[in-house]
């Protein structure tokens, strides 16, 4: 297969990913052929100074360039596209810091609990297997969100979680999740005073 590399600047706006072509990140070779069973080393370099205040985030897009179809070919051809995250840490110590608050809690199972996650740190936070518990002594599991969430430095994102059973309105929940640096636990409190 023939593969093309494309470095992209990765930002987030209103919790949504934004990708923009960049020359800050250099990846070589830009195009290469990969034979069956073979491997390819890709070198990545930064063409600008490290931001001392905050982590820089990029995505490296690896895209298959399919060969032209054989004469008379009919059907569908699929091309592989892989998006890999690349992070450039800021200077000094940069711990992860995440806050959560309840935007709206709903008492019926047909509706959702809306949370806002706020990354107050200087580096990204990757959340996996997020679980929402009642904040009382029983710590009853209310809901699970199994999708992978990236939250870049200084960004916030709203998520909706459908509870498994009826949930009484609450002003606090316990959140547990796995991150790229280990397990994380935090409390979500109501955004209203």
């Amino acid at each position: 297969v023939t593969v093309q590399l494309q470095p992209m600047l990765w930002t987030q706006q209103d919790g949504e990913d934004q990708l923009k072509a960049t020359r800050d990140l250099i990846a070589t070779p830009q195009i290469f052929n990969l034979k069956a069973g073979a491997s390819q080393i890709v070198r990545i370099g930064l063409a600008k100074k490290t931001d001392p205040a905050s982590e820089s985030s990029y995505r490296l897009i690896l895209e298959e360039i399919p060969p032209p179809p054989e004469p008379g070919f009919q059907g569908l051809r699929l091309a592989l596209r892989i998006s890999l995250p690349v992070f450039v840490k800021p200077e000094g110590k940069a711990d992860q810091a995440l806050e959560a608050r309840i935007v709206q809690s709903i008492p019926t199972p047909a509706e959702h609990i809306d949370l806002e996650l706020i990354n107050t740190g200087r580096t990204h936070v990757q959340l996996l297997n997020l679980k929402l518990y009642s904040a009382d002594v029983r710590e009853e599991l209310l809901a699970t969100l199994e999708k992978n969430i990236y939250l870049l430095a200084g960004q916030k994102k709203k998520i909706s979680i459908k509870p498994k059973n009826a949930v009484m309105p609450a002003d606090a929940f316990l959140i547990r999740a796995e991150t790229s640096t280990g397990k994380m636990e935090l409390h979500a409190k109501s955004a209203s005073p």
Side-chain angles (χ1 to χ4, degrees), residues 48-69:
K48 70 170 202 164
K49 286 191 171 207
T50 303
D51 184 348
S54 183
E55 178 180 69
S56 299
S57 304
Y58 301 92
R59 282 211 168 254
L60 185 61
I61 309 296
L62 292 89
E63 196 162 21
E64 178 185 355
I65 302 172

Side-chain angles (χ1 to χ4, degrees), residues 32-115:
F32 58 88
N33 290 317
L34 194 59
K35 295 182 179 178
S39 62
Q40 173 70 47
I41 293 175
V42 173
R43 290 176 174 80
I44 302 170
L46 190 63
K48 70 170 202 164
K49 286 191 171 207
T50 303
D51 184 348
S54 183
E55 178 180 69
S56 299
S57 304
Y58 301 92
R59 282 211 168 254
L60 185 61
I61 309 296
L62 292 89
E63 196 162 21
E64 178 185 355
I65 302 172
E70 300 287 332
F73 173 80
Q74 293 182 356
L76 180 66
R77 298 186 72 166
L78 298 176
L80 182 66
R81 186 174 197 261
I82 299 171
S83 176
L84 298 174
V86 177
F87 300 104
V88 180
K89 300 280 184 203
E91 295 175 3
K93 190 173 181 181
D95 292 332
Q96 292 182 335
L98 188 67
E99 294 177 6
R101 64 181 177 195
I102 304 165
V103 179
Q104 180 182 11
S105 62
I106 305 295
T108 66
E111 298 187 40
H112 294 78
I113 298 169
D114 294 328
L115 300 173

Side-chain angles (χ1 to χ4, degrees), residues 11-18 116-117 150-152 154-159:
T11 58
Q12 289 178 332
Q13 184 175 1
D14 299 324
E16 299 299 319
D17 291 342
Q18 308 287 319
E116 184 174 54
L117 301 173
Y150 274 103
L151 197 55
L152 301 182
Q155 297 298 309
K156 59 185 171 182
K157 183 178 186 75
K158 288 184 183 172
I159 60 169

Side-chain angles (χ1 to χ4, degrees), residues 73-183:
F73 173 80
Q74 293 182 356
L76 180 66
R77 298 186 72 166
L78 298 176
L80 182 66
R81 186 174 197 261
I82 299 171
S83 176
L84 298 174
V86 177
F87 300 104
V88 180
K89 300 280 184 203
E91 295 175 3
K93 190 173 181 181
D95 292 332
Q96 292 182 335
L98 188 67
E99 294 177 6
R101 64 181 177 195
I102 304 165
V103 179
Q104 180 182 11
S105 62
I106 305 295
T108 66
E111 298 187 40
H112 294 78
I113 298 169
D114 294 328
L115 300 173
E116 184 174 54
L117 301 173
I118 305 118
N119 184 350
T120 58
R122 298 190 315 140
T123 62
H124 75 281
V125 176
Q126 179 187 14
L127 298 171
L128 306 157
N129 198 21
L130 185 142
K131 293 182 190 286
L132 186 67
Y133 295 86
S134 61
D136 59 20
V137 291
R138 293 177 299 140
E139 290 188 8
E140 177 188 358
L141 177 62
L142 304 174
T144 300
L145 185 66
E146 294 180 0
K147 76 182 211 181
N148 185 8
I149 298 172
Y150 274 103
L151 197 55
L152 301 182
Q155 297 298 309
K156 59 185 171 182
K157 183 178 186 75
K158 288 184 183 172
I159 60 169
S160 290
I161 302 177
K162 187 172 181 178
K164 296 180 179 185
N165 301 309
V167 177
M168 294 304 293
D171 59 1
F173 293 107
L174 175 64
I175 297 172
R176 289 189 177 124
E178 297 169 24
T179 73
S180 53
T181 60
K183 294 187 179 188

